[in-house]
Amino acid sequence: EAQVTQNPRYLITVTGKKLTVTCSQNMNHEYMSWYRQDPGLGLRQIYYSMNVEVTDKGDVPEGYKVSRKEKRNFPLILESPSPNQTSLYFCASSLSRGVDEQYFGPGTRLTVT
Amino acid sequence: GQQLNQSPQSMFIQEGEDVSMNCTSSSIFNTWLWYKQDPGEGPVLLIALYKAGELTSNGRLTAQFGITRKDSFLNISASIPSDVGIYFCAGDLFNNDMRFGAGTRLTVKP
């Protein structure tokens, strides 16, 4: 089954404690991206990757890091989480950037206290 | 960055009623997409629109790409309880930059 998986689905952590949210897709997609979803703001792109070892900033990259060492994986790293990063995070993948259908993961709800 | 203005923010309707929501922007978009997000899930693509003026249907859903390329609407006819969720518009700017609306939360009363 074609899918995008994220782990963990729920995470509660404290300010400053480094964390990683994993994302994996099994569709051999080149393009992957991370979004955060906040009430009234919709989906905002954090980072995206056009291919292995190619990453770029989206609209709201501050406080986040990503890496793309393999085509299927695109982890999101918060080196020093802060309460304003409490949000619902989605990973997505598609064949290419833009018009191709993006497949979204199930989401990771992060709470930073 | 440029965001899309999506309205209404929320809707409460009776089962069987028709629904209409729309997105507007001051920018011209290459493509318009409509997604639905079920509770606890990620968004799923409903309809993709590629040409100005295009009208496309998917079952009870109909969407149109505005002639000016700056707006789009989504209609749902004869709503049913499983239509509940958040509907997002998304636009692809000509530089392959995707933008999302803030979403319309739909509640359907049986």
Side-chain angles (χ1 to χ4, degrees), chain B residues 63-75:
Chain B
Q64 184 157 31
F65 193 152
I67 199 73
T68 64
R69 308 192 80 98
K70 294 182 179 181
D71 62 317
S72 177
F73 72 74
L74 174 71
N75 289 342

Side-chain angles (χ1 to χ4, degrees), chain A residues 2-39:
Chain A
Q3 60 181 356
V4 178
T5 56
Q6 294 178 227
N7 281 293
R9 293 291 310 276
Y10 302 91
L11 180 59
I12 300 174
T13 189
V14 296
T15 298
K17 186 176 181 183
K18 180 179 178 180
L19 66 91
T20 299
V21 184
T22 65
C23 172
S24 183
Q25 50 93 6
N26 63 0
M27 295 167 278
N28 202 35
H29 285 165
E30 292 189 345
Y31 181 78
M32 297 185 75
S33 61
W34 276 101
Y35 295 88
R36 60 177 290 173
Q37 182 179 13
D38 301 292

Side-chain angles (χ1 to χ4, degrees), chain A residues 31 35 41-45 48 57-60 97-98 102, chain B residues 1-6 23-25 27-29 31-35 88-102:
Chain A
Y31 181 78
Y35 295 88
L41 295 176
L43 291 157
R44 292 180 294 167
Q45 193 175 54
Y48 64 91
K57 297 177 181 178
D59 291 326
V60 288
R97 188 183 185 197
Q102 290 197 61
Chain B
Q2 171 66 49
Q3 293 293 328
L4 303 177
N5 301 309
Q6 185 171 351
C23 274
T24 61
S25 176
S27 295
I28 294 174
F29 285 85
T31 307
W32 282 90
L33 306 169
W34 285 93
Y35 286 85
F88 290 100
C89 63
D92 167 37
L93 292 165
F94 280 91
N95 59 358
N96 286 337
D97 190 2
M98 289 284 291
R99 302 289 168 172
F100 283 82

Side-chain angles (χ1 to χ4, degrees), chain B residues 15-68:
Chain B
E15 183 176 358
E17 288 184 5
D18 296 342
V19 172
S20 185
M21 60 191 78
N22 69 82
C23 274
T24 61
S25 176
S26 58
S27 295
I28 294 174
F29 285 85
N30 185 37
T31 307
W32 282 90
L33 306 169
W34 285 93
Y35 286 85
K36 183 194 178 193
Q37 183 180 17
D38 289 324
E41 304 287 335
V44 174
L45 183 67
L46 297 173
I47 291 180
L49 302 159
Y50 299 104
K51 297 179 185 176
E54 180 180 352
L55 183 72
T56 297
S57 293
N58 178 6
R60 293 178 296 106
L61 277 60
T62 302
Q64 184 157 31
F65 193 152
I67 199 73
T68 64

Side-chain angles (χ1 to χ4, degrees), chain A residues 34 46-48 55-56 64-68 74-77:
Chain A
W34 276 101
I46 302 170
Y47 268 95
Y48 64 91
T55 63
D56 211 342
Y64 305 94
K65 285 174 59 177
V66 293
S67 70
R68 188 93 182 272
F74 190 45
L76 179 69
I77 303 154

